[in-house]
Amino acid sequence: MLVSSVHGPAGDPDPVIDANLAVALDALLAEHSVTRAAARLHTSPAAMSRTLARLRRVLQDPLLVRAGQAMVPTPRALALREEAAAVVRGLGALLSPGASVDPAGLRCTFTLQAADLVGAALAPGLLRLAEREAPGVSFRIMAEELENGPALRDGRIDLEIGSIDHVDPETRTEELVGLRMMAAVRPDHPLTEGPLTPARLAAAPHVAVSRRGRFTGPLDAALAERGLHRRVTVVLPGHLAAMALAARSDVVCLVPAALPGAAASPLTHDAGALGLRLLDIPLDLPNLTIGMAWHPRHTADGAHHWLRTTVRRALCAPA
């Protein structure tokens, strides 16, 4: 290890590691020339000569000596050459931006927070991609919290996926996909016969999805503009339970689906598996944006980058 000395308050020398000396020594021993070493490190020959003089004092060895028109290394320099090169390689690895990881070598569990429908839509794609690329990775998908909490900041979850509207100021976010709401009903539901009008939609019984038990939402506001009011017969905390109820009763359930012209969304797979029919809602409802949020300490982490990329692929390009 290359050190220099400085004097503390009592005059005692304290060793101080100088990484620049190791870099200069590596260049000098590789080039056997002050001029070429200076060019390699983008400095002047005069500055490199001063550094060589300092190295000679620190190591108490001339290192490079004149032999005709060339300079040759001393035995001590030859002994240090490989060590100096290894130190410089280590410094480069230490101080370079985080390198991408090999997913096949990951052995970890990622904790995600998502609504039940989003988690159910993501899980098959996540498992398929992990099995192919990162078989040592597991996923823990947690339910959304009732109240906005600092789960990302505290490290209790690695990634939040859903409608991101309550993040801390430092939180990083990325929009993933835009969706629209459609009406989901059982195959032989009366609404499947004839055109669906706002009045017919309002007259049918509805199931609402709300973690906080709310009976109203954007659909009610759109109906109210036309002087209409729907009857919500039950409120459930998750979309999967609401869709299961719609498949076995006359209630109408709202389901997020792909925008017109976009590829099919995995968020409608469970509705299809239950045999539900998806009907266009004849009202101007706001679109829904699904995104992901994470704490900035994970932004440059290679493993977390793979996680974000995998979520993006599973949600936006399920095929």
Side-chain angles (χ1 to χ4, degrees):
M1 182 66 68
L2 296 174
V3 298
S4 58
S5 295
V6 298
H7 292 278
D12 295 329
D14 295 321
V16 177
I17 298 173
D18 191 337
N20 291 324
L21 286 181
V23 174
L25 178 63
D26 177 53
L28 286 164
L29 298 185
E31 300 292 345
H32 294 180
S33 165
V34 170
T35 302
R36 291 195 298 272
R40 177 171 172 170
L41 299 183
H42 307 288
T43 188
S44 66
M48 185 55 69
S49 292
R50 291 193 293 270
T51 301
L52 176 58
R54 186 181 174 193
L55 282 165
R56 285 167 169 167
R57 292 194 302 272
V58 170
L59 297 173
Q60 298 181 8
D61 188 271
L63 300 175
L64 294 174
V65 296
R66 182 71 59 183
Q69 297 299 314
M71 299 189 77
V72 296
T74 65
R76 177 77 188 284
L78 290 174
L80 288 173
R81 184 163 54 190
E82 290 302 320
E83 182 181 354
V87 168
V88 172
R89 287 194 300 269
L91 287 171
L94 176 65
L95 300 177
S96 63
S100 59
V101 301
D102 178 8
L106 292 176
R107 300 291 184 271
C108 59
T109 296
F110 291 114
T111 301
L112 288 63
Q113 178 174 287
D116 64 339
L117 184 61
V118 176
L122 269 176
L126 291 178
L127 293 178
R128 183 172 59 251
L129 292 169
E131 181 179 4
R132 189 167 66 208
E133 301 172 9
V137 166
S138 300
F139 300 97
R140 180 190 296 112
I141 301 181
M142 308 289 289
E144 290 182 305
E145 296 180 346
L146 287 176
E147 300 297 336
N148 303 335
L152 289 170
R153 178 185 291 174
D154 295 346
R156 287 182 284 129
I157 62 173
D158 299 300
L159 198 64
E160 180 179 356
I161 305 152
S163 180
I164 309 298
D165 57 3
H166 57 265
V167 296
D168 294 319
E170 75 271 17
T171 301
R172 304 293 178 87
T173 63
E174 177 185 335
E175 292 185 359
L176 295 173
V177 63
L179 302 166
R180 59 173 173 156
M181 301 306 291
M182 299 186 73
V185 296
R186 59 181 173 82
D188 54 349
H189 194 283
L191 291 183
T192 62
E193 301 175 3
L196 180 62
T197 64
R200 292 186 69 206
L201 180 63
H206 286 252
V207 54
V209 177
S210 172
R211 292 179 292 113
R212 297 174 176 85
R214 295 172 179 168
F215 278 76
T216 60
L219 177 58
D220 300 279
L223 288 170
E225 291 179 356
R226 295 174 176 253
L228 298 171
H229 174 76
R230 67 170 177 160
R231 179 168 178 256
V232 175
T233 58
V234 62
V235 179
L236 294 175
H239 275 91
L240 294 179
M243 290 191 302
L245 178 62
R248 298 193 293 269
S249 70
D250 282 340
V251 298
V252 178
C253 173
L254 299 187
V255 174
L259 295 174
S265 170
L267 290 169
T268 59
H269 287 179
D270 287 290
L274 288 167
L276 294 173
R277 288 275 303 275
L278 298 183
L279 307 176
D280 289 323
I281 296 176
L283 294 165
D284 186 17
L285 297 180
N287 289 334
L288 172 68
T289 299
I290 298 296
M292 58 182 172
W294 66 95
H295 194 272
R297 66 175 174 273
H298 294 308
T299 298
D301 179 67
H304 201 277
H305 181 269
W306 177 86
L307 171 64
R308 299 194 303 271
T309 300
T310 303
V311 167
R312 192 182 304 115
R313 293 157 63 196
L315 192 62
C316 303

